[in-house]
Amino acid sequence: MSKNDAYAALAARHGYKDSLRYRRILEYLMTPKQAEMVNLMPAKFVELAKKFRTDEADVKRQLEELYRKGVIFARSPEALEEASFALAVVQLHDITMCPLGLDIKRDKKLFELWDDFCVNEWDPDQVASWIKLDVPQGRVVPAYRSILDSPEILPCEDMRQIIKSARSIAVAHCTCRRRKESVGKKCKKSHDMVDIQFNIAAEYLIGNNAGKRLTAEEALALIDKCEEKGLIHTCENSTRMRPRWGMCNCCTDCCMVYEPIYRFKAPVTKCMAKSRYEARVNEELCTGCDMCIDWCPFSAIAMVNTDGLKEPKASIDVERCMGCGVCVLKCDFKALSMKLVRPPEHIPPA
Ligand code: SF4
Ligand code: SF4
């Protein structure tokens, strides 16, 4: 098969024309005929039927299949003549591994192909682009239960307000964890569905059997569960109340952002903005139990022998602290708290 075919043309749109690994993903997701159709989208059924010497019903059936897989996107399944190919790698990555009907054992091949491409090509490219950014694209949102006493919390950093402001909410599989699990990596923090999406994205996932609808109360209960597991609330770096990414609940061992950042030893703050808060230790309350050390996702806590104290106490490296607040919820002795250290302007306007 020629390399200058429909698959190559689609891969080129995402910047990976010569990538054999990306090509293999596209070949897994669509037949050669379907790849040609996708290249011509958006298009009328009648035009595609004529071009491919078939009937409109066959064209519609093929496009419905591609829509269900997350290869093409439209306002709704009824508007497939307006559909077009995924805009970028990230959209294809997130949606094609999301459907509830996928099984990481039965559909292992798809997840393996994605992981091979990500680990070897996409991750290094992403890290190289992130380190050139002037403003990080993502932002850590503090665990809401760690800042309950803060009088100056902004709506866009308050998980309760973010959830309550959404018209509709859905939860979906975290595709980063699904992908890593398929290649035998066990996430240390969670295997649950924790990717929260809002409004249009939520309706898309629910309509495409790729997400489950949640009430605001159910979403808040899920947020509580994420905070208990020590997951990091992460969203786009702006004051927008319904973040376009939705609300990720990340770990640093699977996440498509945090994991490669650490693997390539790049500065995490180039890609992810800290929250406006920082952790503080009350040495009088700290027993030195060291439960918070491994719990901190950013390795920002160490045990130190402070002058005059016999026992080591927890100490925060403020350079490393991202302000996620998960340590505060882990300390049974209430020795950790969050301090507001950055102005509202730290979060760029939407
Ligand atoms: S968990 Fe709390 S008590 Fe234990 S070391 Fe950390 S700060 Fe100190
Ligand atoms: S010390 Fe670690 S766990 Fe605590 S807020 Fe900072 S980054 Fe998060």
Side-chain angles (χ1 to χ4, degrees):
M1 188 179 292
S2 163
K3 281 206 176 169
N4 285 318
D5 59 7
Y7 292 116
L10 292 173
R13 292 201 213 174
H14 292 176
Y16 286 97
K17 181 174 186 292
D18 299 321
S19 167
L20 277 177
R21 292 186 177 94
Y22 204 57
R23 181 185 183 87
R24 285 186 201 119
I25 296 169
L26 300 182
E27 287 175 346
Y28 184 92
L29 291 169
M30 51 195 142
T31 64
K33 181 173 152 188
Q34 287 175 333
E36 282 186 50
M37 269 189 198
V38 173
N39 258 301
L40 296 172
M41 298 300 295
K44 299 282 181 207
F45 296 151
V46 63
E47 289 165 10
L48 292 173
K50 197 170 163 195
K51 164 96 183 153
F52 292 96
R53 298 184 182 183
T54 184
D55 55 43
E56 289 185 48
D58 177 48
V59 168
K60 191 161 177 269
R61 186 184 55 74
Q62 307 242 20
L63 294 182
E64 277 169 356
E65 184 187 324
L66 293 167
Y67 178 82
R68 295 285 167 218
K69 281 185 181 175
V71 174
I72 58 171
F73 294 82
R75 275 184 297 116
S76 72
E78 288 74 44
L80 287 179
E81 290 182 326
E82 296 169 13
S84 49
F85 184 45
L87 289 173
V89 173
V90 66
Q91 196 178 24
L92 200 67
H93 173 280
D94 283 2
I95 304 300
T96 57
M97 287 189 281
C98 210
L100 298 174
L102 282 184
D103 180 271
I104 62 161
K105 290 199 179 117
R106 189 193 58 225
D107 303 302
K108 191 174 171 57
K109 185 74 187 167
L110 174 65
F111 293 101
E112 283 178 341
L113 289 171
W114 268 117
D115 198 61
D116 181 40
F117 167 70
C118 292
V119 168
N120 292 292
E121 297 184 46
W122 196 43
D123 291 348
D125 289 349
Q126 291 267 85
V127 172
S129 69
W130 293 333
I131 58 176
K132 293 182 196 146
L133 293 173
D134 292 328
V135 179
Q137 60 175 7
R139 172 171 64 91
V140 168
V141 178
Y144 83 90
R145 285 185 296 143
S146 73
I147 53 170
L148 284 175
D149 299 332
S150 174
E152 293 151 290
I153 180 168
L154 298 172
C156 67
E157 59 193 356
D158 185 335
M159 286 305 304
R160 295 163 299 182
Q161 294 205 46
I162 291 170
I163 295 290
K164 284 177 187 163
S165 71
R167 279 195 318 278
S168 51
I169 307 169
V171 63
H173 282 290
C174 166
T175 50
C176 311
R177 287 196 190 93
R178 259 188 149 182
R179 167 161 68 81
K180 288 295 174 200
E181 203 180 338
S182 77
V183 294
K185 187 166 178 178
K186 295 279 177 219
C187 178
K188 293 185 201 121
K189 296 243 165 134
S190 175
H191 290 281
D192 298 337
M193 289 170 71
V194 293
D195 180 22
I196 297 178
Q197 296 290 333
F198 304 113
N199 297 359
I200 294 174
E203 292 302 334
Y204 167 80
L205 289 172
I206 295 162
N208 218 11
N209 198 30
K212 292 182 184 168
R213 188 181 298 283
L214 294 182
T215 63
E217 292 70 30
E218 288 168 337
L220 281 170
L222 179 60
I223 290 296
D224 280 344
K225 211 167 148 192
C226 290
E227 295 191 357
E228 276 161 25
K229 285 173 181 263
L231 302 181
I232 314 152
H233 304 316
T234 307
C235 70
E236 71 175 63
N237 188 19
S238 86
T239 55
R240 195 185 312 277
M241 287 300 283
R242 267 84 52 197
R244 281 174 295 200
W245 296 6
M247 184 59 70
C248 295
N249 290 290
C250 305
C251 56
T252 50
D253 50 351
C254 301
C255 171
M256 66 159 87
V257 177
Y258 293 114
E259 191 276 334
I261 276 271
Y262 281 106
R263 180 158 33 102
F264 290 99
K265 298 184 172 38
V268 65
T269 47
K270 282 303 235 175
C271 178
M272 207 56 73
K274 295 181 175 192
S275 82
R276 295 197 306 132
Y277 293 80
E278 240 169 46
R280 292 285 184 272
V281 183
N282 181 329
E283 288 186 348
E284 286 183 12
L285 295 177
C286 177
T287 65
C289 74
D290 84 9
M291 290 298 288
C292 53
I293 306 283
D294 289 341
W295 201 242
C296 170
F298 301 102
S299 306
I301 313 180
M303 302 303 292
V304 297
N305 278 90
T306 314
D307 286 349
L309 295 174
K310 285 186 199 149
E311 302 297 331
K313 304 281 181 182
S315 172
I316 308 294
D317 178 339
V318 293
E319 286 297 313
R320 285 175 172 254
C321 178
M322 296 294 288
C324 66
V326 307
C327 58
V328 173
L329 307 181
K330 187 69 173 171
C331 179
D332 289 337
F333 304 94
K334 302 205 180 317
L336 289 160
S337 60
M338 296 299 274
K339 182 174 168 55
L340 186 63
V341 293
R342 297 181 185 90
E345 299 74 43
H346 172 71
I347 303 176

